[in-house]
Amino acid sequence: MDDIIVKSITRIIIPFVQLYGIFIILHGHVSPGGGFSGGALFGTSLILYTLIFGVDKAQKKFSHRVSEIAESGGILIYLSIGVIGIFTAGYFLSNKAAGFPLGEAGSLLSGGMIPLLMIGVGIKVASTMVTLFHTLIMEERL
Amino acid sequence: MRKWALRILFFMLFMLMSYSVLQMPGDIGLDSPAYNEATHHYIEESLGETGAINIIASILTDYRAFDTLGETIVLFTSIIAVISILRPSAKPEEEEAPTDG
Amino acid sequence: MIEFLQMLYDYVNYLGAVALFIIGLHTVVTHSNLIKRIMGINIMGTAVFYFFIAIGNVTGGLPPILTDTPGEYINPLPSVLILTGIVVVVSITVYSLSLVIRIYETYGTIDQDEIAKINERENADD
C-alpha cells in the first residue's frame, strides 16, 4: 500500500500495539487477559505490518527461521516448565507442590509457574497468527 | 419452491431448539446446576492453591494445564497441516518439466 | 401474554444463541460458495461460545478476578473452556481456507455447483 499517511501512522502505532500485547501477556494472572489475547494482539501488529509494507519486508522482520524457533520454543517452554514438576513433586505440570514460589497475591511476581506458562503460550499464539497469515498470503510464490 | 421448503424446515428447527432451550433453568445465578461444587472450589481455594488472583488464569494454566498444552498442540498441528497443503505445489511441476522437455 | 414475554426476556441470551446457530446452519446449507460456507461454520462456532458464556453468567455478578468488592463471581469454568474452542475454530478456519486455495487452483472456481459440473463433464469424457 503506497500511502504516506497510512505508512507513517502504522510506524507510530505498531510499537504501542506490541507493548500493549506484552503488557497483557505479563499481567495475565492479575488482570483480564493472558497468553491467548496478548499473543493475538502481538500477532495482529505484525499482520498490520505485512498488510502495509508488503510481505517481502515483513519476511525480513519475521523470517521462517524466527517462526520455526518461536513455534517450537513456545511449546518447549511449556513442556520444560511442566517437566520441572516431575523431578520436584512427582507430577507433570504441578505448581505449588513443585515448589514454585507463589508470591504475594495481586503483585506481578505471583502465581508460581502461571506467568511463565503464559509467556510460552503468548509466544506460540503470536507466531502462529503471523505464520499462518504469511503462509496464506505467500501461497502464489511457493 | 425448494427455497420455501428449506425456510420452513429451518423455522421448525428454530422452534424445536427454542423449545428445548426454554426447558433449561434460566439465568438463576447461584442456584444454576452449572454453578456446582467445582466452581465453588475454584472461587474459594484458587488463591491459596495457585497464588493468582485471576481465577481464569489459574484454571487455564494450573488446574487444567493439560488442556492448554493440548491447545498449543492443536495450533502446532494446524500450522503443519496448512503448510503441508500449500507448500508442495511447486515441486511436481519442476520434476515434470524436464521429463516433458 | 405478559408472562410469555417476560419468559422470552429471561431467556433472551439462549434464544439469541439458537438464532445465531440457525443463521450459520442456513448459510452452510443454502450457499454453494465455499468461502460463505466457511463463514457459516464460524457463525455456528460463535453461537456455541455465546451459549456457553450465557450458561455461566450470573446477573449482576463480578468478573472472576478476586477483589475486595463484596458480591458473587460469575462461573469461570465456561470461559476457560471457550478459550479452547476459539483455538479449535481458528485452526478449522485456516485449514479450510487453505483447502479452498488449492480447490481454486485446481478448478478455477470456488462455487460448489460449478465444481460438480466440471467433475461430471470430466467423468463423461472418460
Side-chain angles (χ1 to χ4, degrees):
Chain A
M1 204 178 275
D2 275 335
D3 190 350
I4 185 74
I5 298 174
V6 176
K7 279 187 177 177
S8 316
I9 295 293
T10 307
R11 269 204 201 95
I12 298 170
I13 267 180
I14 280 182
F16 290 103
V17 176
Q18 291 182 340
L19 187 68
Y20 189 56
I22 294 170
F23 171 84
I24 294 269
I25 292 174
L26 291 181
H27 286 73
H29 53 298
V30 291
S31 66
F36 288 97
S37 29
L41 261 169
F42 197 87
T44 309
S45 75
L46 287 167
I47 289 175
L48 177 67
Y49 187 87
T50 312
L51 285 174
I52 301 299
F53 293 100
V55 76
D56 291 326
K57 271 190 167 178
Q59 281 285 318
K60 277 177 197 155
K61 296 264 180 197
F62 196 86
S63 61
H64 282 296
R65 186 89 194 114
V66 178
S67 120
E68 276 170 16
I69 294 171
E71 290 293 330
S72 320
I75 286 189
L76 284 177
I77 288 175
Y78 202 106
L79 283 176
S80 53
I81 290 168
V83 166
I84 292 174
I86 292 181
F87 292 117
T88 53
Y91 298 105
F92 188 58
L93 282 171
S94 52
N95 187 1
K96 191 181 179 183
F100 285 104
L102 293 190
E104 184 192 344
S107 65
L108 188 57
L109 294 174
S110 68
M113 70 172 179
I114 290 176
L116 303 171
L117 292 187
M118 282 294 185
I119 290 171
V121 173
I123 292 172
K124 175 76 190 144
V125 172
S127 71
T128 303
M129 292 287 157
V130 183
T131 312
L132 286 177
F133 188 73
H134 280 183
T135 314
L136 286 179
I137 208 174
M138 293 269 288
E139 187 271 334
E140 297 170 358
R141 300 180 210 178
L142 292 173
Chain B
M1 182 59 204
R2 186 166 166 267
K3 217 180 206 175
W4 278 103
L6 258 178
R7 279 178 193 169
I8 292 168
L9 196 69
F10 274 108
F11 186 73
M12 283 166 64
L13 188 61
F14 176 72
M15 295 313 272
L16 184 70
M17 287 175 79
S18 302
Y19 176 75
S20 49
V21 154
L22 289 177
Q23 306 298 311
M24 288 174 66
D27 193 358
I28 52 175
L30 305 183
D31 303 326
S32 160
Y35 212 93
N36 54 12
E37 64 275 7
T39 304
H40 284 292
H41 180 89
Y42 288 144
I43 287 175
E44 283 151 19
E45 310 284 339
S46 73
L47 184 60
E49 286 179 357
T50 67
I53 61 170
N54 186 348
I55 302 174
I56 295 208
S58 66
I59 296 175
L60 193 68
T61 50
D62 193 327
Y63 294 110
R64 291 172 189 244
F66 274 78
D67 197 10
T68 311
L69 179 62
E71 233 167 308
T72 51
I73 291 171
V74 165
L75 279 175
F76 196 74
T77 314
S78 79
I79 284 194
I80 292 174
V82 168
I83 289 180
S84 70
I85 284 183
L86 292 182
R87 275 287 158 78
S89 64
K91 281 185 181 171
E93 291 170 11
E94 286 170 6
E95 286 168 6
E96 279 173 21
T99 53
D100 289 342
Chain C
M1 187 63 195
I2 295 291
E3 286 169 6
F4 181 68
L5 287 179
Q6 180 66 38
M7 190 174 72
L8 286 190
Y9 179 74
D10 288 341
Y11 285 82
V12 66
N13 283 328
Y14 296 167
L15 292 174
V18 167
L20 210 54
F21 188 84
I22 296 289
I23 289 170
L25 193 65
H26 188 265
T27 314
V28 171
V29 170
T30 54
H31 288 265
S32 61
N33 189 326
L34 291 173
I35 298 280
K36 285 183 183 171
R37 289 191 162 189
I38 295 171
M39 285 180 184
I41 292 173
N42 261 302
I43 293 172
M44 284 164 76
T46 312
V48 174
F49 303 156
Y50 182 23
F51 189 62
F52 250 75
I53 298 295
I55 287 175
N57 186 36
V58 174
T59 308
L62 297 168
I65 293 168
L66 297 167
T67 52
D68 297 332
T69 319
E72 293 296 339
Y73 297 102
I74 67 160
N75 196 346
L77 205 47
S79 313
V80 175
L81 297 180
I82 285 317
L83 273 173
T84 316
I86 290 172
V87 168
V88 171
V89 166
V90 166
S91 308
I92 289 173
T93 309
V94 172
Y95 186 61
S96 12
L97 282 176
S98 62
L99 282 176
V100 167
I101 289 175
R102 273 280 162 268
I103 287 171
Y104 182 74
E105 279 184 1
T106 311
Y107 291 96
T109 177
I110 52 169
D111 194 287
Q112 189 141 31
D113 297 339
E114 291 182 22
I115 291 171
K117 273 181 203 163
I118 291 171
N119 275 337
E120 270 179 26
R121 225 177 290 144
E122 283 181 356
N123 287 338
D125 289 345
D126 292 338

